[in-house]
């Protein structure tokens, strides 16, 4: 564990909590892509199956459980409890266009051809692109509420901080995982546009609105 | 990255 990894994990946790608070307080999931949330739930469940096979640490186990439970809770809020507020019409990204290629890629490029390892690799690839339906929704409506913007910023920062963690681990421990590094870089790049808008608009107190 | 690799990150 190093400072970058811890900061990344906390940023990830903050993102998830922000999203749940936003939905709960406003009693609405307007502006949130249910498609992205489905993908994140698939990511956590397929990645953390090793909960039953490998014990790393109490921290590791607790965080994995929190991620799985909170992603399922988010889906429950969106598709059951506050279903009426969910923006079906704008959330029209076809997730099979992400799920299928990620799974095929995991079958082709992986560290080991075992069920758990293939699912882990699939989850890494899928996580890299899971935010696309959300970004697509923001681009369709042309704006995002400030708390949604904070959520996206925290979620994007997490993988950027992990990139620093991987650089640190490479030098400090000689440890590296090319699959995670490559997918993490793609994931971070996808947020760059958003980071720019966040810093130039949201931090100056303006609403995140896309240029027409 | 090896076969017996343990994924200790989240």
């Amino acid at each position: 564990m190093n400072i970058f990894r811890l900061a990344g994990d906390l940023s990830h946790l903050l993102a998830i909590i922000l999203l749940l608070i936003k939905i709960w307080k406003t009693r609405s999931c307007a502006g949130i892509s249910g498609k992205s949330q489905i993908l994140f739930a698939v990511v956590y469940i397929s990645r953390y199956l090793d909960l039953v096979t490998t014990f790393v640490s109490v921290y590791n186990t607790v965080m994995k459980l929190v991620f799985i439970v909170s992603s399922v809770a988010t889906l429950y809020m969106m598709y059951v409890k506050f279903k009426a507020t969910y923006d079906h019409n704008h959330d029209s990204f076809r997730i099979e266009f992400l799920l299928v290629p990620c799974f095929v890629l995991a079958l082709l490029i992986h560290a080991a051809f075992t069920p758990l390892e293939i699912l882990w690799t699939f989850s890494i690839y899928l996580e890299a692109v899971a935010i696309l339906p959300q970004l697509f929704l923001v681009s369709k409506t042309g704006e995002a509420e400030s708390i949604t913007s904070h959520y996206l910023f925290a979620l994007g920062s997490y993988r950027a901080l992990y990139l620093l963690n991987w650089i640190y681990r490479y030098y400090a421990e000689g440890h590296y995982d090319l699959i995670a590094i490559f997918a993490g870089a793609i994931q971070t790049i996808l947020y760059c546009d958003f980071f720019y808008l966040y810093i130039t608009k949201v931090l100056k107190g303006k609403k995140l609105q896309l240029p027409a | 990255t090896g076969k017996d690799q343990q994924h200790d990150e989240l």
Side-chain angles (χ1 to χ4, degrees), chain A residues 21 46-47 79 83 110 113 122-123 157 198 201 203:
Chain A
I21 289 176
S46 56
R47 185 176 308 167
Y79 287 96
K83 194 181 176 197
H110 47 254
F113 197 75
F122 163 67
S123 83
S157 306
Y198 184 83
K201 296 205 169 171
L203 289 185

Side-chain angles (χ1 to χ4, degrees), chain A residues 4 7-9 11-12 44 47-48 127 153-163 187, chain B residues 10:
Chain A
F4 304 115
D9 286 350
S11 175
H12 194 180
Y44 302 135
R47 185 176 308 167
Y48 299 151
E127 187 191 352
F153 185 75
L155 194 61
S157 306
Y158 135 71
R159 224 45 174 177
L161 288 161
Y162 255 65
L163 287 179
Q187 185 170 341
Chain B
L10 292 168

Side-chain angles (χ1 to χ4, degrees), chain A residues 127-149:
Chain A
E127 187 191 352
V129 293
I131 201 60
L132 286 176
Q134 178 65 57
L135 297 178
F136 182 71
L137 174 61
V138 172
S139 76
K140 267 199 137 182
T141 57
E143 59 180 42
E145 285 176 78
S146 68
I147 193 150
T148 305
S149 305

Side-chain angles (χ1 to χ4, degrees), chain A residues 12 16 40-49 67-68 71 155:
Chain A
H12 194 180
I16 291 167
F40 282 123
V42 172
V43 163
Y44 302 135
I45 292 166
S46 56
R47 185 176 308 167
Y48 299 151
L49 290 173
F67 288 154
I68 292 175
S71 68
L155 194 61

Side-chain angles (χ1 to χ4, degrees), chain A residues 46-61:
Chain A
S46 56
R47 185 176 308 167
Y48 299 151
L49 290 173
D50 66 353
L51 268 173
V52 290
T53 61
T54 320
F55 177 78
V56 179
S57 64
V58 173
Y59 171 84
N60 190 286
T61 300

